[in-house]
Amino acid sequence: MNTPRNIIAIDSLRAGEIIGLRQINATSVQASSLTPWEALPIKIPARLTISDKIEDGVRLHTAQLVFHTCAEPDDRDRLVYRCKTADGRYYLIGTNDRPYPVSTMTMNHPDNMADSQLNEVSVIYTSASEIPFIQ
């Protein structure tokens, strides 16, 4: 049976603020419940694409997160993201070490009043480690 994989919530925080992050196995990590995640106001669902490729004999894993928000542009330098799926699992996009996720924001000013005026945020994260779930 397939479970829903839609992204229904996104939280963020500065990379250095993750408390007690430790690797459990190749596909999961654990962070303290005291980690001060900040919920982002997003249009549900968001899009998360996870892919991998082999480059120069090294398998690289890439996560691309795209979401729409009414939030104003802010300092997105060295943020990590926690993405909640509809089945209650969390992906961790980024860690407290390099490489950090790269975020870009597009502010929409449509010429039609019926078109979306939400800002689009695109986050790309590439790592030699798999994109983990948070336990």
Side-chain angles (χ1 to χ4, degrees):
M1 181 174 145
N2 287 336
T3 57
R5 294 190 288 177
N6 298 90
I7 301 298
I8 61 168
I10 300 173
D11 304 317
S12 70
L13 79 155
R14 291 211 168 285
E17 295 177 357
I18 298 177
I19 298 172
L21 184 66
R22 65 186 183 103
Q23 191 84 30
I24 301 298
N25 57 40
T27 60
S28 61
V29 295
Q30 189 173 38
S32 169
S33 60
L34 301 176
T35 301
W37 294 104
E38 180 180 329
L40 298 176
I42 65 165
K43 178 182 176 191
I44 298 171
R47 183 176 73 224
L48 175 61
T49 305
I50 298 174
S51 60
D52 64 65
K53 67 179 178 179
I54 296 177
E55 189 173 299
D56 295 329
V58 176
R59 183 175 300 275
L60 296 176
H61 302 271
T62 301
Q64 182 177 14
L65 173 65
V66 178
F67 60 94
H68 294 87
T69 181
C70 59
E72 292 297 316
D74 61 348
D75 183 19
R76 293 177 313 282
D77 188 39
R78 294 187 182 174
L79 290 182
V80 296
Y81 298 86
R82 180 175 72 166
C83 302
K84 182 179 182 181
T85 62
D87 64 355
R89 298 178 81 184
Y90 290 91
Y91 281 102
L92 179 64
I93 310 300
T95 65
N96 48 2
D97 294 319
R98 291 181 180 197
Y100 300 109
V102 176
S103 305
T104 58
M105 178 180 278
T106 303
M107 295 180 67
N108 291 316
H109 300 277
D111 59 355
N112 184 344
M113 294 298 283
D115 291 343
S116 175
Q117 297 179 26
L118 295 175
N119 298 322
E120 180 178 280
V121 178
S122 177
V123 179
I124 297 178
Y125 174 65
T126 302
S127 173
S129 301
E130 290 190 38
I131 307 303
F133 286 103
I134 301 174
Q135 288 189 347

